[in-house]
Amino acid sequence: MQISPSILSADFANLERELKAIANADWAHVDVMDNHFVPNLTLGLPVVEALLRVSPVPVDCHLMIDDPDRWAPGYAEAGARSVTFHVEAAADPVATARAIRSAGARAAFAVKPGTAFAPYEDLLPEVDMVLVMTVEPGFGGQSFMADQMAKVRQVREAVGRHGGEVWIQVDGGVSAATIEQCAEAGADVFVAGSAVYGQESAASAVDELRALAERHRHPA
């Protein structure tokens, strides 16, 4: 059970400090948005490169951008340990996943709440993780969409059929109140923004979320 705090909820003026505050996390989740694929603009490769120099934990880049086939491998080449692209935006998801892996990172694909997983099940051998969005991508602080747990279960069942070790990540509205149902459905990587950075102690919030997920772990 892995906790990946989202720096989208961190203090952008003090990102090195904010990263050090989550040194007990498994990942630092970095949302890259281009104001095209989603209606928001955050940061790009130059800022990610700076974060990579100071992050005490591996960086997990979630690319909410157009044309990830072109841009995603660069994040892996820069040193991100995990790079997620949206299947809705990828022209050739197989080639993109292989390019990310060839550059030394874990490859993952994401599906928005309205995107069915079944058409993309054949991609499982090409990736290391599937991200099921539990809010519409684009902004932090949205309400958790519990109806996406059916999709998490669907992905978990598909992973079981295909074999191999593919992680299932959930992102959006994950908190102490919602992480248990995510774990029970089969998720094992949890992105949490305000549920970590909105607390008095980010490190304590990470520990609490991990403990809750462990207690409700989906049977293998």
Side-chain angles (χ1 to χ4, degrees), residues 84-98:
T84 302
F85 62 92
H86 272 265
V87 287
E88 302 93 348
D92 191 342
V94 171
T96 300
R98 290 179 178 176

Side-chain angles (χ1 to χ4, degrees), residues 185-208:
D188 44 24
V189 186
F190 308 88
V191 177
S194 54
V196 171
Y197 282 112
Q199 306 306 308
E200 188 173 338
S201 167
S204 296
V206 167
D207 289 339
E208 179 190 3

Side-chain angles (χ1 to χ4, degrees), residues 1-215:
M1 293 296 178
Q2 303 178 66
I3 306 300
S4 184
S6 171
I7 66 164
L8 191 61
S9 297
D11 179 357
F12 270 37
N14 295 282
L15 284 176
E16 181 174 4
R17 184 194 69 195
E18 298 283 64
L19 285 167
K20 288 178 178 175
I22 57 160
N24 61 325
D26 300 280
W27 299 86
H29 187 84
V30 178
D31 289 308
V32 176
M33 307 184 200
D34 63 358
N35 204 31
H36 292 280
F37 181 69
V38 291
N40 195 6
L41 184 66
T42 53
L43 46 81
L45 188 55
V47 175
V48 170
E49 289 172 337
L51 295 174
L52 287 163
R53 289 194 291 270
V54 298
S55 179
V57 293
V59 169
D60 163 30
C61 283
H62 177 194
L63 306 183
M64 290 172 267
I65 62 174
D66 283 341
D67 200 9
D69 312 73
R70 175 183 179 186
W71 300 110
Y75 288 84
E77 291 161 4
R81 293 277 297 281
S82 180
V83 178
T84 302
F85 62 92
H86 272 265
V87 287
E88 302 93 348
D92 191 342
V94 171
T96 300
R98 290 179 178 176
I100 291 168
R101 282 176 156 181
S102 293
R106 296 175 62 88
F109 73 83
V111 286
K112 295 195 289 188
T115 301
F117 165 71
Y120 303 102
E121 183 174 335
D122 290 347
L123 289 176
L124 285 177
E126 304 289 345
V127 298
D128 304 286
M129 185 170 73
V130 176
L131 166 54
V132 176
M133 292 297 298
T134 44
V135 297
E136 289 293 339
F139 292 92
Q142 297 182 69
S143 297
F144 177 77
M145 299 172 70
D147 61 350
Q148 296 302 303
M149 295 303 96
K151 191 185 296 182
V152 173
R153 292 186 191 94
Q154 185 182 11
V155 179
R156 174 55 63 199
E157 290 165 4
V159 168
R161 288 195 300 272
H162 284 260
E165 186 181 348
V166 178
W167 299 346
I168 302 173
Q169 185 179 68
V170 286
D171 179 3
V174 176
S175 68
T178 60
I179 196 168
E180 296 174 2
Q181 55 189 300
C182 297
E184 288 168 351
D188 44 24
V189 186
F190 308 88
V191 177
S194 54
V196 171
Y197 282 112
Q199 306 306 308
E200 188 173 338
S201 167
S204 296
V206 167
D207 289 339
E208 179 190 3
L209 290 170
R210 188 184 288 115
L212 286 168
E214 290 283 0
R215 284 206 294 272

